[in-house]
Amino acid sequence: MSVTAAKGFTASGVAAGIKENGNPDLALVVNNGPRLAAAGVFTSNRVKAAPVLWSEQVLKGGQVSAVVLNSGGANACTGPLGFQDTHATAEKTAEVLGHSAGEVAIASTGLIGLRLPMDPLLSGLETAAAALSEHGGEKAAIAIKTTDTVHKTAVAQGPDGAWTVGGMAKGAGMLAPGLATMLVVLTTDADLEAPALDAALRDATRTTFDRIDSDGCMSTNDTVLLLASGASGVTPAADAFAEAVRTVCADLARQLIGDAEGASKDIRIEVVGAATEDDAVEVGRSIARNNLLKCAIHGEDPNWGRVLSAIGTTSAVFEPDQLNVAINDVWVCKNGSVGEDRELVDMRYREVRITADLAAGSESAVIWANDLTADYVHENSAYSS
Amino acid sequence: MSVTAAKGFTASGVAAGIKENGNPDLALVVNNGPRLAAAGVFTSNRVKAAPVLWSEQVLKGGQVSAVVLNSGGANACTGPLGFQDTHATAEKTAEVLGHSAGEVAIASTGLIGLRLPMDPLLSGLETAAAALSEHGGEKAAIAIKTTDTVHKTAVAQGPDGAWTVGGMAKGAGMLAPGLATMLVVLTTDADLEAPALDAALRDATRTTFDRIDSDGCMSTNDTVLLLASGASGVTPAADAFAEAVRTVCADLARQLIGDAEGASKDIRIEVVGAATEDDAVEVGRSIARNNLLKCAIHGEDPNWGRVLSAIGTTSAVFEPDQLNVAINDVWVCKNGSVGEDRELVDMRYREVRITADLAAGSESAVIWANDLTADYVHENSAYSS
């Protein structure tokens, strides 16, 4: 499964000694071709980690032969020396695999502002290369975990299994401490060139990873890569391929929300009746980021007033006295005022559904979020000290 | 002191029975003239409580003879009936005092989405009117508390005590539960007309109340009023009056941050070296609202990487490799990378100072915020249920 579900890929995950606790911390994913096409999307944070700056350049060439991912350190805000560390990692990988360093993508996750321990990392690359296997996908997924409690993988196939899209992810939405959150590697044996991969990947991330919002904090390290080996020999229809990529991304995105740090609830926020999709997304994000509402959901309190106050901060098209809000399908707010009895809302389960009807059009969007808990505070107040 | 520090004002605070626990919940502030000039600023949330909609209309006339403030209910998202309740409150006040209802401002605070208990409120107005006193300022300040642990008052005077500006406030920045947060009434015996009051009030709120940001949640009820009685007979210079109003507003704003719900730290965020003041405010707000940083401050962890990641989400002018950050005067980040030893930062005290230097100009701004604590989660997850 994972990144080795598609033909043409090998992977491994080892404990290189980057993490002080001895847990697996280095993953290697290799594309054995015949094609080396690739696409990537990266954090839009203007403060970008060294591996993001490096990989953005690599992806401009549209070819990736290998991806190195480490947990145990984000290599962000580490200056020119940190960038040299990333460069050295790519050079070492190229040397061990007999590839070109310009086709090696790098991703890192962990605390910001600390240099990586390069000796264990570089010697770990030799171990990781020796361990490469067609069945290494799970070990790779395990090696990129930080505070994730489970590793995350997903797979989808084309008609009759003619081609496969697989993937792995780490992180807890935007909730992971140190802001080194979401690393995703997707692989496929479909025979496609870089522009086709790029189109499918951007289409998928726009409505999946870009619409999970655990705590509103944007990472310096977010990286999502899609590698194609062409090993199936099949070139799928664009629609079918896009759908498969979207399925795998949505699956992984849902797993990230489900394992968000300290969270006790997964909140599905659907905004309907919007004049535009942008309006729906803006309102969804505003609701997703409202700390008071997130606390209320944690307390299983259907406090719809906090939903309305969040909607009221946006520039979306709506009239305050026409807003409707349902929590777990009970319309507790109608026409901007009191609706059905809030006592009817059952919030005992982990998944909570909020529906906000702007009564201004026919567009919609879904944003996933988490509640705000004392556990979140505890985990994130004691992370680096 | 409080709203009765200035000549020409009487006030009272009583327990009308709006709150179930029997605490004081109704305040009345009366301007006895000779002048009835007034100015006000209100929440920019598009979902506005009934008393905000009412008082915005009253203030357009530039005359306020009395202000009624209740805790125990926000009267927000209560529809046309809620607005009728506010109207009835103004009519009753006018009847009891012999004023015009169109000159009675109303402010409410408490849970959103519930109608106010009108019988106790209206009969409470008679009690409050009977209790009006030149020494009633403190009781009025006490009656508007919700989860505030202390009442908040401030005063400033012109040269030789020729005129006075006094005020009271309730709320905990934007931290108060139910989003019914900040109510402020300022009074002065300076002899000024409404436009002069409006100019001084907007100038003062722009750099005081508008720059405290406890949890990024914008209220449906925020109201700041300034009433002038003219009873000193002195018309101060515009600059001196603006300075006095700003002093009182800054004092009250600092008290709100200091009493924010669940907070253990008051965070002073100063952005310097900005290309524009707008840039400085945008960056300050982004830092103030970063949940991961707020958790780190709670844990006394000088996690400057979280400051940089917050700056990176803004559109301000800066280069990532020129950013500098100090925490309690230790420059832990220089040129976007590791600076002085983070172990040098002493964070044991309640006030924490973050300085972010954008190295892009000479403008600056100060934003005040709070940390994020388990106590905040507890208070806000159990408020309405």
Side-chain angles (χ1 to χ4, degrees):
Chain A
M1 306 301 286
S2 177
V3 288
T4 48
K7 288 191 285 280
F9 292 92
T10 51
S12 61
V14 300
I18 305 166
K19 286 179 180 168
E20 289 183 2
N21 63 9
N23 283 345
D25 50 20
L26 187 64
L28 183 58
V29 181
V30 174
N31 185 350
N32 300 297
R35 193 185 279 287
L36 299 180
V41 294
F42 300 91
T43 181
S44 56
N45 199 309
R46 290 169 62 197
V47 176
K48 296 181 203 299
V52 169
L53 295 171
W54 171 267
S55 297
E56 282 183 333
Q57 291 303 314
V58 169
L59 266 295
K60 284 185 180 168
Q63 297 241 110
V64 169
S65 65
V67 185
V68 179
L69 307 97
N70 74 274
S71 51
N75 197 9
C77 304
T78 45
L81 296 175
F83 191 80
Q84 285 178 27
D85 291 342
T86 290
H87 189 183
T89 303
E91 290 283 359
K92 175 72 175 184
T93 307
E95 174 195 325
V96 170
L97 298 175
H99 294 180
S100 156
E103 294 175 4
V104 176
I106 312 283
S108 300
T109 177
L111 189 66
I112 295 176
L114 289 179
R115 297 276 302 280
L116 290 170
M118 289 305 291
D119 287 346
L121 198 164
L122 295 180
S123 59
L125 278 171
E126 297 184 10
T127 317
L132 284 168
S133 155
E134 290 176 7
H135 308 288
E138 184 172 3
K139 284 193 175 171
I142 290 170
I144 59 175
K145 286 169 55 186
T146 52
T147 55
D148 307 66
T149 66
V150 293
H151 62 283
K152 289 117 185 157
T153 65
V155 68
Q157 288 193 310
D160 302 324
W163 47 271
T164 297
V165 177
M168 66 179 185
K170 70 78 50 180
M174 311 300 272
L175 255 176
L179 295 177
T181 54
M182 190 179 65
L183 303 186
V184 179
V185 179
L186 309 173
T187 57
T188 182
D189 47 21
D191 193 13
L192 290 166
E193 297 192 32
L197 299 177
D198 190 68
L201 185 61
R202 287 184 191 281
D203 177 68
T205 54
R206 192 179 71 83
T207 57
T208 56
F209 296 120
D210 280 352
R211 293 193 183 168
I212 59 177
D213 194 331
S214 277
D215 65 357
C217 296
M218 186 193 295
S219 164
T220 51
N221 286 56
D222 284 344
T223 299
V224 185
L225 301 175
L226 170 58
L227 279 53
S229 69
S232 71
V234 178
T235 302
D239 282 0
F241 183 70
E243 178 63 29
V245 174
R246 197 159 44 231
T247 299
V248 172
C249 288
D251 188 339
L252 292 172
R254 183 69 185 81
Q255 292 182 53
L256 292 175
I257 284 288
D259 192 32
E261 266 195 8
S264 70
K265 302 284 188 191
D266 304 337
I267 312 171
R268 182 183 189 275
I269 301 160
E270 182 168 18
V271 181
V272 301
T276 65
E277 185 180 356
D278 283 351
D279 273 9
V281 171
E282 183 191 1
V283 169
R285 279 199 190 286
S286 181
I287 297 169
R289 293 181 176 184
N290 189 283
N291 277 355
L292 288 171
L293 177 65
K294 289 156 71 84
C295 288
I297 300 295
H298 177 53
E300 302 188 345
D301 169 12
N303 196 322
W304 59 266
R306 294 177 182 180
V307 178
L308 256 68
S309 72
I311 297 173
T313 65
T314 70
S315 60
V317 176
F318 69 84
E319 293 300 326
D321 62 358
Q322 293 178 19
L323 295 170
N324 306 300
V325 174
I327 300 178
N328 285 354
D329 305 322
V330 179
W331 289 92
V332 284
C333 170
K334 290 182 180 175
N335 297 321
S337 184
V338 185
E340 295 182 69
D341 187 353
R342 44 168 284 151
E343 300 298 327
L344 299 172
V345 182
D346 181 357
M347 298 181 70
R348 289 172 297 171
Y349 301 95
R350 183 170 175 108
E351 187 169 311
V352 174
R353 295 181 310 288
I354 296 176
T355 312
D357 174 14
L358 303 186
S362 57
E363 297 297 318
S364 65
V366 173
I367 301 280
W368 281 92
N370 291 108
D371 57 342
L372 183 55
T373 72
D375 286 346
Y376 174 89
V377 175
H378 291 316
E379 288 206 44
N380 288 300
S381 60
Y383 181 64
S384 72
S385 52
Chain B
M1 304 308 284
S2 173
V3 289
T4 48
K7 288 191 284 279
F9 292 92
T10 50
S12 61
V14 301
I18 305 167
K19 286 178 180 168
E20 289 183 1
N21 64 10
N23 283 345
D25 50 19
L26 187 65
L28 183 58
V29 181
V30 173
N31 185 351
N32 300 298
R35 192 185 280 287
L36 299 181
V41 293
F42 301 91
T43 182
S44 55
N45 199 310
R46 290 168 62 197
V47 175
K48 297 182 203 297
V52 170
L53 295 170
W54 171 267
S55 297
E56 281 183 333
Q57 291 304 315
V58 169
L59 266 294
K60 284 184 181 168
Q63 297 240 112
V64 169
S65 65
V67 186
V68 179
L69 308 97
N70 75 275
S71 50
N75 197 8
C77 304
T78 44
L81 294 175
F83 191 80
Q84 285 178 25
D85 292 341
T86 291
H87 189 182
T89 303
E91 290 284 359
K92 176 71 175 184
T93 307
E95 174 197 324
V96 171
L97 297 176
H99 294 182
S100 157
E103 293 175 3
V104 176
I106 312 283
S108 300
T109 176
L111 189 64
I112 296 175
L114 288 179
R115 297 275 303 280
L116 290 171
M118 289 305 290
D119 286 346
L121 199 163
L122 294 180
S123 59
L125 278 170
E126 297 183 10
T127 317
L132 283 167
S133 155
E134 290 176 8
H135 308 289
E138 183 172 4
K139 283 192 175 171
I142 291 170
I144 58 175
K145 284 169 57 185
T146 52
T147 54
D148 307 66
T149 65
V150 293
H151 63 282
K152 289 115 186 159
T153 66
V155 67
Q157 289 194 308
D160 301 324
W163 48 270
T164 297
V165 177
M168 66 179 182
K170 69 79 48 181
M174 312 301 269
L175 255 175
L179 296 175
T181 53
M182 190 178 68
L183 303 185
V184 180
V185 178
L186 308 173
T187 57
T188 181
D189 47 21
D191 193 12
L192 290 166
E193 297 193 32
L197 299 178
D198 189 68
L201 184 60
R202 288 184 190 279
D203 176 68
T205 54
R206 193 179 71 82
T207 56
T208 56
F209 296 120
D210 281 352
R211 295 194 182 166
I212 59 176
D213 194 332
S214 275
D215 64 356
C217 295
M218 186 193 294
S219 164
T220 53
N221 287 55
D222 284 344
T223 299
V224 184
L225 301 175
L226 169 58
L227 278 54
S229 69
S232 72
V234 178
T235 300
D239 281 0
F241 184 69
E243 178 64 28
V245 174
R246 196 159 44 232
T247 298
V248 172
C249 288
D251 189 338
L252 291 172
R254 183 68 186 81
Q255 291 183 53
L256 292 174
I257 284 287
D259 192 32
E261 266 196 8
S264 70
K265 301 285 188 191
D266 304 338
I267 312 171
R268 182 184 190 275
I269 301 160
E270 181 169 20
V271 181
V272 301
T276 65
E277 185 179 356
D278 284 351
D279 272 9
V281 171
E282 182 193 0
V283 168
R285 278 199 191 286
S286 181
I287 296 169
R289 293 182 175 183
N290 189 282
N291 277 354
L292 289 171
L293 176 65
K294 288 156 70 84
C295 288
I297 300 295
H298 177 53
E300 303 188 344
D301 170 11
N303 195 324
W304 58 267
R306 295 176 181 179
V307 178
L308 256 68
S309 73
I311 298 173
T313 65
T314 70
S315 61
V317 175
F318 69 84
E319 293 300 326
D321 61 359
Q322 293 178 19
L323 294 170
N324 307 299
V325 174
I327 300 179
N328 285 354
D329 304 323
V330 180
W331 289 92
V332 284
C333 170
K334 290 183 179 174
N335 297 319
S337 184
V338 185
E340 294 181 71
D341 186 354
R342 42 168 286 151
E343 300 298 326
L344 298 173
V345 182
D346 181 355
M347 299 181 70
R348 289 172 297 173
Y349 300 95
R350 183 171 175 108
E351 187 169 312
V352 174
R353 295 181 311 288
I354 296 176
T355 313
D357 173 13
L358 303 185
S362 57
E363 297 298 318
S364 64
V366 173
I367 301 280
W368 281 91
N370 291 108
D371 57 343
L372 183 56
T373 71
D375 286 346
Y376 174 89
V377 174
H378 292 317
E379 288 206 43
N380 288 300
S381 60
Y383 181 62
S384 73
S385 51

